[in-house]
Amino acid sequence: MPVIAAIGTAVPPHTIAQTEVRDFARTLFGDAFRDIDRLLTVFASAQIEKRHLAAPIEWYTQDHSFADKNRLYIEQGVTLATTAIHNCLDQAGLQPEDIDHLVFVSSTGLATPSLDAHLFNALGLSPNLKRTPIWGLGCAGGAAGLARGFDLALAHPDSKVVVCALELCSLTFLRADRSKSNLIATSLFADGCAAMLVLGTEAAKRHPSLVAGAPRVLASRSTIWPETLDVMGWELQEAGLKVIFSKDIPSIVESKIRPQIETFLQESGLDRADMKRFIAHPGGMKVLQAYQEALDLPDDLLRHSRDVLRTHGNMSSCTVLFALARELQDAHQAGEHGLLLALGPGFSCEQVLLRW
């Protein structure tokens, strides 16, 4: 089965404390809500300490056109993705030209040619590189990207597939949007990039040192629920991407996610108790609590997701890969199973089954 051999990450240079973002939000949203101090408690309850942003905080106090924000998305995105991919390949002792297929995931900016073509030039990738850009999956994109990388490596056992998830969520911020959804998004979202190397079975045999102790990808499952288009996503406006963020997300997790997970695991002859590792996209602390309650998870199983949320915030698609990168640093017993899980626009769920 395909193997996850390495993960590299990168964040932009501007680090900001959660308290500073809270003060920024008080200034911006204060006139819109009489109970602003009560609403600002979401910044503490998010349990985020710091985040990384594509621009200094002063940049967000001004209005910017969609075109200007998108230019910064391309510029910063190529830099971050180049760094993340180099960090990934350096761990594996591989060169950019060794990559056979690049899956590029993002939802926070637009580019044609897509950013994977920009990365071809920046990294010196093979001119025969296969490229699969994926746009619009939001927070589910990292898990979906891994699932598609698994599909490609399974179909082409000799291949070395890199899955790169890049999100610059802060560049979608609309200063004129005084909605509660934008306030919640301001308390959570951040910027980052993760790149993951997935080796097909035959490619893995040629790199035994890379795959010793690495997890195999056994299966994946995608689910989309009907009539849930308004739960999460973007609304394209003249000024850019306006966030859609339903307050019902934690309750949806509690009511819908357990049956999906149980069905997926049963297809592989497993159940929830067999999952010794649980790598969940940390959409927010309430979402993680909903996972824990719905699945009867012990605190320890979500520690990496909580830690990434605390130190990086919600970076949309790449966040779950940051949590997976931490998971790969832990010691594992041979035969242990793990589940990687993320939710996103649609409203949808992506699951990937792992075995060490």
Side-chain angles (χ1 to χ4, degrees), residues 21 26 111 140 169 183 191 194 220 259 338 340:
V21 186
R26 174 181 280 111
C169 303
L183 178 64
D191 304 333
S220 69
L340 184 139

Side-chain angles (χ1 to χ4, degrees), residues 37-258:
D37 287 328
R38 180 183 65 83
L39 293 175
L40 289 176
T41 59
V42 298
F43 285 82
S45 61
Q47 299 185 33
I48 296 170
E49 294 178 2
K50 63 180 181 179
R51 286 178 270 168
H52 302 271
L53 305 180
I57 190 66
E58 294 78 18
W59 186 88
Y60 303 93
T61 64
Q62 304 295 320
D63 289 325
H64 302 276
S65 70
F66 187 25
D68 285 342
K69 288 185 283 189
N70 204 66
R71 277 192 289 270
L72 187 56
Y73 164 81
I74 294 172
E75 175 187 315
Q76 290 266 359
V78 171
T79 298
L80 283 179
T82 298
T83 301
I85 291 173
H86 272 306
N87 289 342
C88 175
L89 295 179
D90 287 348
Q91 294 176 41
L94 297 177
Q95 298 301 315
E97 59 267 26
D98 296 326
I99 301 173
D100 299 303
H101 201 127
L102 175 60
V103 178
F104 186 82
V105 178
S106 190
S107 296
T108 46
L110 301 173
T112 303
S114 49
L115 280 193
D116 45 278
H118 291 254
L119 292 172
F120 162 74
N121 290 287
L123 287 162
L125 299 170
S126 167
N128 302 121
L129 175 78
K130 298 180 177 70
R131 298 182 291 127
T132 302
I134 300 176
W135 196 91
L137 293 181
C139 294
L146 171 55
R148 300 295 76 77
F150 160 66
D151 291 341
L152 292 165
L154 192 63
H156 303 279
D158 287 323
S159 65
K160 296 179 282 293
V161 181
V162 167
V163 178
C164 182
L166 164 79
E167 303 293 1
L168 299 179
C169 303
S170 74
L171 297 184
T172 68
F173 176 73
L174 297 180
R175 196 177 70 88
D177 178 8
R178 301 300 203 272
S179 66
K180 286 187 179 179
S181 291
N182 197 30
L183 178 64
I184 297 300
T186 303
S187 74
L188 290 173
F189 286 123
D191 304 333
C193 184
M196 171 174 45
L197 175 64
V198 181
L199 298 178
T201 304
E202 295 303 316
K205 290 178 181 179
R206 295 194 295 272
H207 299 278
S209 62
L210 292 182
V211 301
R216 270 65 176 170
V217 184
L218 301 185
S220 69
R221 182 183 178 92
S222 300
T223 303
I224 182 168
W225 290 285
E227 306 303 327
T228 55
L229 296 176
D230 59 349
V231 172
M232 179 188 295
W234 305 119
E235 177 188 337
L236 180 58
Q237 299 188 340
E238 185 175 351
L241 299 171
K242 174 182 167 65
V243 67
I244 299 171
F245 205 61
S246 171
K247 68 181 188 309
D248 297 327
I249 293 173
S251 63
I252 293 173
V253 172
E254 289 183 17
S255 63
K256 293 185 179 294
I257 203 64
R258 183 165 188 149

Side-chain angles (χ1 to χ4, degrees), residues 1-2 4 146-147 150 215-221 261 264-271 274-275 277 279 336-341 350-356:
M1 301 301 288
I4 300 173
L146 171 55
F150 160 66
R216 270 65 176 170
V217 184
L218 301 185
S220 69
R221 182 183 178 92
I261 289 177
F264 175 49
L265 295 179
Q266 286 169 5
E267 291 172 351
S268 296
L270 302 167
D271 59 31
D274 294 315
M275 296 301 103
R277 308 288 170 157
I279 306 102
E336 276 188 340
H337 287 93
L339 183 67
L340 184 139
L341 173 72
E350 296 285 342
Q351 302 177 70
V352 181
L353 180 62
L354 308 175
R355 185 180 65 210
W356 273 266

